[in-house]
Amino acid sequence: MSATNMKFGVIIVRGFEEYIDANLMPLIDKFINMGCQSQNIVVRTVPTLHDVVIATQFFAQYTDVDGVVILAPENRVMGTLSLMNGIVQIQIQWNMVVAIGGAERADDIVEMIAMQNEMEMAAPDSVARGNFS
C-alpha cells in the first residue's frame, strides 16, 4: 500500500504520554516508509480526550488532509459513546477517513484513503465529489 501523495492529520491527547511515546514516531516512520512526505504529516496536540472531536472537525474543515489518526488507546475512545458519535458524524459529513489507535493503524488508514480515491475516480461525473458541508 502506498501513501504517496497522501496527507495525514495526527491528533495526540495530553495524558496519554506513554502511549504517544510508544506510537507517534513509529506511526510517522510507517507513513514515510509507505511513501508519504514528512511535511504531509500534520501533528496537533489536544488537552483532553474530549477535544478530539473538535480537533478532527478542525482538520476536516481547515486543512487538506486525506485522513486523521487519533493517536490514543482505541478502547478509551471507542468506549466513549459521545466521542464516537461525534467522530462518526464528522466522517459522514466531511467524507473524512478517521483511524483510532496507534502505529498499527497506518496500513488501515492508507487502505481506506486509497479505496476512497479509487471510488471517487471511478464515479460518474454526475456524482458530487469532495467534502460535504
Side-chain angles (χ1 to χ4, degrees), residues 1-99:
M1 202 52 55
S2 173
T4 304
N5 299 321
M6 290 184 186
K7 189 170 185 178
F8 302 95
V10 178
I11 300 171
I12 58 177
V13 181
R14 278 189 231 134
F16 294 128
E17 285 81 10
E18 276 185 43
Y19 191 86
I20 293 162
D21 291 344
N23 283 279
L24 181 58
M25 288 314 300
L27 176 67
I28 290 171
D29 289 343
K30 196 154 191 182
F31 283 148
I32 290 170
N33 289 335
M34 295 171 84
C36 182
Q37 296 179 0
S38 60
Q39 66 267 23
N40 287 341
I41 303 168
V42 182
V43 179
R44 295 289 183 260
T45 303
V46 296
T48 68
L49 187 58
H50 173 77
D51 298 310
V52 299
V53 174
I54 194 69
T56 305
Q57 173 77 29
F58 292 161
F59 270 118
Q61 190 168 358
Y62 301 125
T63 73
D64 60 347
V65 299
D66 297 297
V68 173
V69 176
I70 299 171
L71 195 67
E74 187 175 22
N75 64 332
R76 294 289 302 271
V77 178
M78 291 192 167
T80 308
L81 184 58
S82 59
L83 289 179
M84 285 308 302
N85 184 44
I87 292 165
V88 168
Q89 292 300 316
I90 292 167
Q91 287 180 294
I92 293 168
Q93 178 183 3
W94 290 94
N95 213 19
M96 175 69 67
V97 177
V98 178

